[in-house]
């Protein structure tokens, strides 16, 4: 028996979703012409910008960013349709609310002795067009509307990483996966959460976790995904335990030490070179760490204030750029250090300049501000010579 194609108003009304049954009602809902809808759905590849981000393992991650017109429609679909559908309790990413997010994900496992981490391989690429179509179809939309909505949310037959709707759709697609894994874990006294493609299981019984691994893999594969075996890890109490990049030890959660060292190095380099091109990235990293360790932002401000009192204040351009590009508004001004020239002062200042040149060479910016450095060296020598002549 062939199932009839129709709009299921009962489901749509129950979920408080907009009733859309044909192209006219879709055009009215989007507030755009039917011609533009046709172009956006039939020539989708023309409305994305592709770029790549390097991953830790050396490979690249494809990011597809929708153009402004497509982004507006995707935002409408996300707000008016997708976000009205509930997600599983185990999904911790791409959800609003205080009980979700990367920190809360780690906190669920902080008291467990053993942690099992798994990663879904090619997560967004694994979610094909057909699955997205049936998602809209099961929400109550007919074939035509489901096809159009699917075309607007997918790219070349899969869910694009970078699309506005992709994160929420991925969570909806994983609803049954989360329920099956949660049911399995609930019977074995195992905690389970999922942050996007990162699956975390924890227990106080190591044997319980190891016995469940094959069953977990079978469920994941049965749901149309593959496990990235290179990222499967079983962490014991004596090891350095991490959950989605957050350190979990002694029932406490902390940001990665390496990330902290990285951002401190970025701050130091920005000040010494007077190059603030990475200032937004610095702020983002500090904000992320502060969300995990409350008070970290204040520590960074104290660190920057301490740098402002060092020898960098002898360089007028560094002082000017520091004050014009404060990483945080609470940071105190850097005051340019005046000096009275004599042979000893000249020698000390030349040492400072030489040390700065050496540092710039180490970080591959030996020519950065070279003209300024040379002029400052000449100024030191000229003033020192004049001072010496005066005393003689």
């Amino acid at each position: 028996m062939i199932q009839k194609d129709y709009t299921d108003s009962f489901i749509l009304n129950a979920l408080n979703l907009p009733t859309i049954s044909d192209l006219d009602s879709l055009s009215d809902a989007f507030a755009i012409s039917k011609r533009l809808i046709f172009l956006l759905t039939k020539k989708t590849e023309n409305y994305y910008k592709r770029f790549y981000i390097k991953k830790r393992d050396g490979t690249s991650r494809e990011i597809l960013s929708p153009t402004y017109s497509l982004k507006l429609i995707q935002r409408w679909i996300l707000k008016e349709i997708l976000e009205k559908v509930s997600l599983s309790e185990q999904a911790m990413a791409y959800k609003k609310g205080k009980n979700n997010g990367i920190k809360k994900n780690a906190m669920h496992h902080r008291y467990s002795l053993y942690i099992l981490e798994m990663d879904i391989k090619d997560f967004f690429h694994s979610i094909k067009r057909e699955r997205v179509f049936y998602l809209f179809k099961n929400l109550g939309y007919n074939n035509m509307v489901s096809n159009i909505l699917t075309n607007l949310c997918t790219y070349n037959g899969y869910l694009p990483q970078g699309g506005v709707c992709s994160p929420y759709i991925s969570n909806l697609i994983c609803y049954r996966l989360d329920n099956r894994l949660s049911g399995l874990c609930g019977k074995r006294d195992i905690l389970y959460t999922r942050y996007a493609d990162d699956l975390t299981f924890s227990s106080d019984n190591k044997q319980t976790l190891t016995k469940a691994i094959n069953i977990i893999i079978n469920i994941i594969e049965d749901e149309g995904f593959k496990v990235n075996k290179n990222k499967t890890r079983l962490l014991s109490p004596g090891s350095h335990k991490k959950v989605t990049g957050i350190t979990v030890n002694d029932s406490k959660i902390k940001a990665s030490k390496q990330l902290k060292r990285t951002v401190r190095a970025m701050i130091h380099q920005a000040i010494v070179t007077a190059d603030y091109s990475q200032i937004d990235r610095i702020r983002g990293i500090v904000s992320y760490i502060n969300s995990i360790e409350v008070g970290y932002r204040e520590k960074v401000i104290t660190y920057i204030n301490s740098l402002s009192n060092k020898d960098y204040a002898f360089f007028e351009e560094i002082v000017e750029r520091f004050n014009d590009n404060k990483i945080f508004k609470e940071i105190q001004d850097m005051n340019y250090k005046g000096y009275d020239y004599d042979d000893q002062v000249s020698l000390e200042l030349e040492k400072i300049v030489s040390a700065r040149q050496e540092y710039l060479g180490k970080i591959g910016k030996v020519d950065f501000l070279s003209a300024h450095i040379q002029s400052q060296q000449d100024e030191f020598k000229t003033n020192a010579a004049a001072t010496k002549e005066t005393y003689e």
Side-chain angles (χ1 to χ4, degrees):
M1 182 176 177
I2 300 175
Q3 186 179 5
K4 293 184 177 180
D5 174 31
Y6 64 95
T7 301
D8 195 329
S9 299
F10 179 79
I11 296 178
L12 293 175
N13 291 332
L15 295 173
N16 194 29
L17 301 180
T19 301
I20 303 170
S21 56
D22 52 32
L23 194 57
D24 288 326
S25 56
L26 191 63
S27 176
D28 291 338
F30 288 161
I32 61 173
S33 67
K34 290 183 283 186
R35 175 176 171 78
L36 182 55
I37 293 175
F38 174 82
L39 292 173
L40 289 172
T41 55
K42 296 300 181 182
K43 298 183 178 180
T44 312
E45 65 276 4
N46 295 335
Y47 294 92
Y48 280 95
K49 295 179 181 178
R50 180 190 283 108
F51 60 94
Y52 296 90
I53 297 177
K54 285 188 177 180
K55 299 191 323 191
R56 292 180 181 179
D57 59 4
T59 59
S60 296
R61 177 182 287 112
E62 179 189 57
I63 303 295
L64 290 160
S65 177
T67 57
Y68 183 71
S69 55
L70 181 56
K71 188 177 293 185
L72 287 178
I73 293 179
Q74 289 183 352
R75 284 176 180 168
W76 187 93
I77 296 172
L78 177 65
K79 182 180 178 181
E80 301 297 332
I81 298 177
L82 299 173
E83 287 185 343
K84 292 181 179 180
V85 184
S86 299
L87 302 175
S88 71
E89 292 182 2
Q90 294 73 34
M92 304 301 294
Y94 318 130
K95 289 170 67 177
K96 297 178 181 178
K98 295 181 179 179
N99 294 324
N100 308 299
I102 196 166
K103 180 179 179 180
K104 289 293 183 180
N105 183 58
M107 288 179 70
H108 277 285
H109 305 278
R110 60 179 168 167
Y111 296 115
S112 299
L113 294 177
Y114 299 93
I115 295 176
L116 172 65
E117 285 200 325
M118 288 184 172
D119 179 88
I120 296 177
K121 188 176 182 180
D122 299 326
F123 183 53
F124 286 97
H125 280 227
S126 298
I127 301 175
K128 304 302 181 184
R129 184 189 185 283
E130 182 182 8
R131 300 183 75 176
V132 180
F133 169 80
Y134 280 108
L135 170 65
F136 288 113
K137 179 72 176 172
N138 290 332
L139 290 178
Y141 293 107
N142 61 35
N143 288 343
M144 186 200 72
V145 173
S146 295
N147 261 311
I148 293 175
L149 293 173
T150 299
N151 288 343
L152 292 169
C153 294
T154 58
Y155 175 90
N156 281 353
Y158 61 87
L159 202 60
Q161 187 165 3
V164 175
C165 299
S166 296
Y168 208 89
I169 287 177
S170 70
N171 271 341
L172 290 172
I173 294 293
C174 288
Y175 189 91
R176 192 171 69 172
L177 169 68
D178 291 338
N179 281 347
R180 292 180 68 182
L181 290 176
S182 178
L184 170 74
C185 293
K187 297 175 182 177
R188 290 165 171 76
D189 198 24
I190 297 173
L191 294 175
Y192 162 66
T193 59
R194 180 180 57 81
Y195 191 88
D197 57 351
D198 292 313
L199 284 61
T200 306
F201 308 83
S202 66
S203 174
D204 290 337
N205 191 316
K206 183 178 181 180
Q207 191 175 12
T208 300
L209 275 181
T210 53
K211 284 184 176 180
I213 290 177
N214 288 334
I215 304 175
I216 291 170
I217 292 175
N218 288 337
I219 291 175
I220 293 171
E221 291 180 348
D222 188 54
E223 289 296 324
F225 297 105
K226 290 184 179 180
V227 174
N228 188 341
K229 295 182 179 180
N230 294 329
K231 292 186 178 182
T232 299
R233 299 183 303 162
L234 180 60
L235 307 174
S236 301
S239 63
H240 185 68
K241 294 187 290 185
K242 280 188 175 183
V243 176
T244 51
I246 298 177
T247 300
V248 181
N249 279 322
D250 301 324
S251 303
K252 297 179 181 178
I253 61 171
K254 293 183 178 181
S256 163
K257 288 184 179 180
Q258 180 59 46
L259 186 60
K260 293 177 185 176
R261 284 193 289 266
T262 297
V263 75
R264 280 173 69 95
M266 291 174 68
I267 291 169
H268 181 262
Q269 181 173 321
I271 293 172
V272 175
T273 63
D275 178 8
Y276 291 88
S277 59
Q278 296 294 311
I279 191 170
D280 288 335
R281 188 178 173 215
I282 291 171
R283 287 170 177 158
I285 296 175
V286 171
S287 177
Y288 165 73
I289 297 175
N290 191 70
S291 69
I292 299 168
E293 298 181 31
V294 178
Y296 181 77
R297 186 176 183 273
E298 285 68 30
K299 291 180 181 179
V300 170
I301 291 173
T302 301
Y303 168 66
I304 296 174
N305 284 337
S306 70
L307 292 179
S308 69
N309 294 318
K310 292 186 178 293
D311 293 335
Y312 315 126
F314 281 110
F315 298 88
E316 191 171 358
E317 189 166 353
I318 285 183
V319 174
E320 290 177 358
R321 294 196 185 182
F322 179 92
N323 292 332
D324 290 341
N325 299 276
K326 287 187 178 179
I327 297 174
F328 301 109
K329 62 181 181 180
E330 298 93 336
I331 294 171
Q332 66 187 23
D333 286 340
M334 182 187 288
N335 297 316
Y336 180 59
K337 291 186 179 180
Y339 34 74
D340 296 322
Y341 289 96
D342 55 33
D343 286 342
Q344 185 62 34
V345 171
S346 179
L347 180 62
E348 290 299 321
L349 291 174
E350 285 193 55
K351 286 181 180 178
I352 294 170
V353 173
S354 297
R356 182 164 181 250
Q357 282 183 305
E358 183 179 351
Y359 172 77
L360 292 175
K362 286 181 179 179
I363 64 174
K365 295 193 175 186
V366 68
D367 296 326
F368 197 89
L369 296 176
S370 58
H372 170 68
I373 292 174
Q374 187 61 49
S375 66
Q376 193 125 24
Q377 281 182 315
D378 293 340
E379 181 185 350
F380 291 161
K381 292 176 182 179
T382 301
N383 284 291
T387 303
K388 184 176 181 180
E389 184 177 322
T390 299
Y391 281 110
E392 290 178 349

Short mmCIF file of all heavy atoms in Angstrom, two decimals, residues 239-273:
data_model
loop_
_atom_site.label_atom_id
_atom_site.label_comp_id
_atom_site.label_asym_id
_atom_site.label_seq_id
_atom_site.Cartn_x
_atom_site.Cartn_y
_atom_site.Cartn_z
N SER A 239 45.68 8.50 35.06
CA SER A 239 46.01 9.22 33.83
C SER A 239 45.47 10.64 33.85
O SER A 239 44.67 11.01 34.70
CB SER A 239 45.45 8.47 32.62
OG SER A 239 44.04 8.43 32.68
N HIS A 240 45.95 11.43 32.88
CA HIS A 240 45.47 12.81 32.74
C HIS A 240 44.14 12.76 31.98
O HIS A 240 44.11 12.61 30.77
CB HIS A 240 46.49 13.64 31.98
CG HIS A 240 46.14 15.10 31.91
ND1 HIS A 240 46.14 15.93 33.00
CD2 HIS A 240 45.77 15.87 30.86
CE1 HIS A 240 45.79 17.15 32.64
NE2 HIS A 240 45.56 17.13 31.34
N LYS A 241 43.04 12.91 32.71
CA LYS A 241 41.72 12.73 32.11
C LYS A 241 41.19 14.03 31.52
O LYS A 241 41.24 15.09 32.15
CB LYS A 241 40.74 12.20 33.16
CG LYS A 241 41.07 10.79 33.63
CD LYS A 241 39.99 10.23 34.54
CE LYS A 241 39.95 10.92 35.87
NZ LYS A 241 38.97 10.29 36.79
N LYS A 242 40.67 13.91 30.30
CA LYS A 242 40.07 15.06 29.62
C LYS A 242 38.73 14.67 29.03
O LYS A 242 38.57 13.57 28.49
CB LYS A 242 40.99 15.57 28.50
CG LYS A 242 42.12 16.46 28.96
CD LYS A 242 42.83 17.07 27.76
CE LYS A 242 43.90 18.05 28.19
NZ LYS A 242 44.54 18.69 27.01
N VAL A 243 37.78 15.59 29.13
CA VAL A 243 36.46 15.41 28.50
C VAL A 243 36.23 16.61 27.60
O VAL A 243 36.17 17.74 28.06
CB VAL A 243 35.34 15.32 29.55
CG1 VAL A 243 33.99 15.25 28.87
CG2 VAL A 243 35.55 14.11 30.45
N THR A 244 36.15 16.35 26.30
CA THR A 244 36.01 17.41 25.27
C THR A 244 36.98 18.57 25.53
O THR A 244 36.60 19.74 25.52
CB THR A 244 34.55 17.93 25.20
OG1 THR A 244 34.10 18.28 26.52
CG2 THR A 244 33.63 16.91 24.61
N GLY A 245 38.24 18.21 25.79
CA GLY A 245 39.29 19.23 25.93
C GLY A 245 39.42 19.84 27.31
O GLY A 245 40.32 20.65 27.55
N ILE A 246 38.53 19.48 28.23
CA ILE A 246 38.57 20.03 29.59
C ILE A 246 39.15 18.99 30.54
O ILE A 246 38.71 17.83 30.55
CB ILE A 246 37.16 20.44 30.06
CG1 ILE A 246 36.60 21.54 29.15
CG2 ILE A 246 37.18 20.91 31.50
CD1 ILE A 246 35.19 21.97 29.49
N THR A 247 40.13 19.39 31.33
CA THR A 247 40.77 18.49 32.27
C THR A 247 39.82 18.16 33.43
O THR A 247 39.22 19.05 34.03
CB THR A 247 42.06 19.12 32.84
OG1 THR A 247 42.96 19.38 31.74
CG2 THR A 247 42.74 18.18 33.81
N VAL A 248 39.68 16.87 33.70
CA VAL A 248 38.81 16.40 34.79
C VAL A 248 39.65 15.53 35.71
O VAL A 248 39.94 14.38 35.41
CB VAL A 248 37.62 15.59 34.25
CG1 VAL A 248 36.73 15.13 35.40
CG2 VAL A 248 36.82 16.39 33.25
N ASN A 249 40.06 16.10 36.83
CA ASN A 249 40.86 15.37 37.81
C ASN A 249 40.46 15.76 39.22
O ASN A 249 40.17 16.93 39.49
CB ASN A 249 42.36 15.65 37.61
CG ASN A 249 42.96 14.81 36.50
OD1 ASN A 249 42.62 13.64 36.33
ND2 ASN A 249 43.87 15.39 35.74
N ASP A 250 40.45 14.78 40.13
CA ASP A 250 40.13 15.03 41.54
C ASP A 250 38.79 15.75 41.69
O ASP A 250 38.66 16.69 42.50
CB ASP A 250 41.24 15.84 42.21
CG ASP A 250 42.59 15.14 42.15
OD1 ASP A 250 42.60 13.89 42.26
OD2 ASP A 250 43.61 15.82 41.98
N SER A 251 37.83 15.36 40.88
CA SER A 251 36.47 15.92 40.93
C SER A 251 36.42 17.40 40.54
O SER A 251 35.42 18.08 40.79
CB SER A 251 35.85 15.74 42.33
OG SER A 251 35.85 14.39 42.69
N LYS A 252 37.50 17.91 39.96
CA LYS A 252 37.54 19.31 39.55
C LYS A 252 37.71 19.39 38.03
O LYS A 252 38.29 18.49 37.42
CB LYS A 252 38.70 20.04 40.24
CG LYS A 252 38.57 20.11 41.75
CD LYS A 252 39.77 20.82 42.36
CE LYS A 252 39.66 20.88 43.88
NZ LYS A 252 40.85 21.54 44.48
N ILE A 253 37.22 20.48 37.44
CA ILE A 253 37.39 20.67 36.01
C ILE A 253 38.22 21.93 35.76
O ILE A 253 38.03 22.96 36.43
CB ILE A 253 36.04 20.76 35.27
CG1 ILE A 253 35.21 21.93 35.76
CG2 ILE A 253 35.27 19.47 35.42
CD1 ILE A 253 33.98 22.18 34.93
N LYS A 254 39.17 21.82 34.85
CA LYS A 254 40.04 22.95 34.53
C LYS A 254 40.30 22.98 33.03
O LYS A 254 40.20 21.95 32.35
CB LYS A 254 41.37 22.83 35.27
CG LYS A 254 41.27 22.99 36.78
CD LYS A 254 42.65 22.94 37.42
CE LYS A 254 42.56 23.16 38.93
NZ LYS A 254 43.90 23.13 39.56
N ALA A 255 40.63 24.15 32.53
CA ALA A 255 40.99 24.29 31.12
C ALA A 255 42.38 23.69 30.89
O ALA A 255 43.17 23.55 31.83
CB ALA A 255 40.96 25.75 30.70
N SER A 256 42.67 23.37 29.67
CA SER A 256 43.96 22.78 29.31
C SER A 256 45.12 23.72 29.65
O SER A 256 45.08 24.91 29.34
CB SER A 256 43.97 22.45 27.82
OG SER A 256 45.27 22.25 27.35
N LYS A 257 46.16 23.18 30.27
CA LYS A 257 47.36 23.97 30.56
C LYS A 257 48.01 24.47 29.28
O LYS A 257 48.54 25.58 29.23
CB LYS A 257 48.35 23.14 31.37
CG LYS A 257 47.93 22.90 32.81
CD LYS A 257 49.02 22.14 33.56
CE LYS A 257 48.62 21.92 35.02
NZ LYS A 257 49.68 21.17 35.76
N GLN A 258 48.00 23.62 28.26
CA GLN A 258 48.59 24.01 26.98
C GLN A 258 47.87 25.20 26.38
O GLN A 258 48.51 26.10 25.84
CB GLN A 258 48.54 22.81 26.01
CG GLN A 258 49.14 23.11 24.64
CD GLN A 258 50.59 23.54 24.71
OE1 GLN A 258 51.39 22.93 25.43
NE2 GLN A 258 50.95 24.59 23.99
N LEU A 259 46.54 25.23 26.51
CA LEU A 259 45.78 26.36 25.98
C LEU A 259 46.12 27.63 26.73
O LEU A 259 46.23 28.71 26.13
CB LEU A 259 44.28 26.06 26.09
CG LEU A 259 43.34 27.08 25.45
CD1 LEU A 259 43.61 27.21 23.95
CD2 LEU A 259 41.88 26.70 25.69
N LYS A 260 46.31 27.53 28.04
CA LYS A 260 46.69 28.69 28.83
C LYS A 260 48.07 29.21 28.43
O LYS A 260 48.28 30.42 28.31
CB LYS A 260 46.69 28.35 30.33
CG LYS A 260 45.32 28.04 30.89
CD LYS A 260 45.44 27.64 32.36
CE LYS A 260 44.12 27.21 32.93
NZ LYS A 260 44.26 26.73 34.32
N ARG A 261 49.01 28.28 28.23
CA ARG A 261 50.35 28.69 27.79
C ARG A 261 50.29 29.36 26.43
O ARG A 261 51.00 30.35 26.16
CB ARG A 261 51.28 27.48 27.76
CG ARG A 261 51.75 27.01 29.12
CD ARG A 261 52.90 26.04 29.01
NE ARG A 261 52.46 24.76 28.48
CZ ARG A 261 52.11 23.71 29.23
NH1 ARG A 261 52.16 23.81 30.55
NH2 ARG A 261 51.74 22.59 28.68
N THR A 262 49.44 28.82 25.56
CA THR A 262 49.32 29.37 24.20
C THR A 262 48.81 30.81 24.23
O THR A 262 49.36 31.68 23.56
CB THR A 262 48.37 28.50 23.36
OG1 THR A 262 48.92 27.19 23.23
CG2 THR A 262 48.18 29.11 21.97
N VAL A 263 47.76 31.07 25.01
CA VAL A 263 47.18 32.41 25.02
C VAL A 263 48.12 33.41 25.70
O VAL A 263 48.21 34.58 25.29
CB VAL A 263 45.78 32.41 25.69
CG1 VAL A 263 45.88 32.28 27.20
CG2 VAL A 263 45.02 33.66 25.32
N ARG A 264 48.88 32.97 26.71
CA ARG A 264 49.87 33.86 27.34
C ARG A 264 50.96 34.23 26.35
O ARG A 264 51.41 35.39 26.29
CB ARG A 264 50.48 33.19 28.57
CG ARG A 264 49.61 33.26 29.81
CD ARG A 264 50.20 32.44 30.93
NE ARG A 264 51.43 33.03 31.44
CZ ARG A 264 51.49 33.84 32.50
NH1 ARG A 264 50.38 34.16 33.15
NH2 ARG A 264 52.64 34.31 32.91
N ALA A 265 51.37 33.24 25.55
CA ALA A 265 52.39 33.51 24.53
C ALA A 265 51.86 34.46 23.47
O ALA A 265 52.59 35.35 22.99
CB ALA A 265 52.85 32.19 23.88
N MET A 266 50.60 34.31 23.10
CA MET A 266 49.99 35.20 22.11
C MET A 266 49.91 36.63 22.64
O MET A 266 50.16 37.59 21.90
CB MET A 266 48.59 34.70 21.75
CG MET A 266 48.57 33.41 20.96
SD MET A 266 46.88 32.77 20.73
CE MET A 266 46.21 34.04 19.63
N ILE A 267 49.57 36.78 23.90
CA ILE A 267 49.50 38.11 24.52
C ILE A 267 50.88 38.75 24.56
O ILE A 267 51.05 39.92 24.19
CB ILE A 267 48.91 38.01 25.94
CG1 ILE A 267 47.43 37.63 25.87
CG2 ILE A 267 49.08 39.32 26.70
CD1 ILE A 267 46.83 37.24 27.22
N HIS A 268 51.87 37.99 25.00
CA HIS A 268 53.24 38.50 25.08
C HIS A 268 53.75 38.92 23.71
O HIS A 268 54.34 40.00 23.55
CB HIS A 268 54.15 37.43 25.68
CG HIS A 268 55.58 37.87 25.83
ND1 HIS A 268 56.55 37.53 24.91
CD2 HIS A 268 56.19 38.64 26.77
CE1 HIS A 268 57.71 38.05 25.29
NE2 HIS A 268 57.52 38.74 26.41
N GLN A 269 53.49 38.09 22.71
CA GLN A 269 53.95 38.40 21.35
C GLN A 269 53.26 39.64 20.81
O GLN A 269 53.89 40.48 20.15
CB GLN A 269 53.69 37.21 20.44
CG GLN A 269 54.16 37.44 19.00
CD GLN A 269 54.05 36.19 18.16
OE1 GLN A 269 54.32 35.09 18.64
NE2 GLN A 269 53.65 36.34 16.90
N ALA A 270 51.96 39.79 21.07
CA ALA A 270 51.23 40.97 20.61
C ALA A 270 51.82 42.24 21.18
O ALA A 270 51.99 43.25 20.47
CB ALA A 270 49.75 40.86 20.99
N ILE A 271 52.17 42.23 22.45
CA ILE A 271 52.71 43.43 23.11
C ILE A 271 54.11 43.74 22.61
O ILE A 271 54.43 44.89 22.28
CB ILE A 271 52.69 43.25 24.64
CG1 ILE A 271 51.24 43.19 25.14
CG2 ILE A 271 53.44 44.39 25.33
CD1 ILE A 271 51.12 42.82 26.61
N VAL A 272 54.97 42.72 22.55
CA VAL A 272 56.38 42.94 22.17
C VAL A 272 56.51 43.37 20.72
O VAL A 272 57.34 44.22 20.39
CB VAL A 272 57.21 41.66 22.43
CG1 VAL A 272 58.63 41.84 21.93
CG2 VAL A 272 57.22 41.34 23.91
N THR A 273 55.69 42.81 19.84
CA THR A 273 55.78 43.15 18.42
C THR A 273 54.87 44.31 18.04
O THR A 273 54.96 44.82 16.93
CB THR A 273 55.41 41.94 17.54
OG1 THR A 273 54.05 41.58 17.79
CG2 THR A 273 56.31 40.76 17.84
#
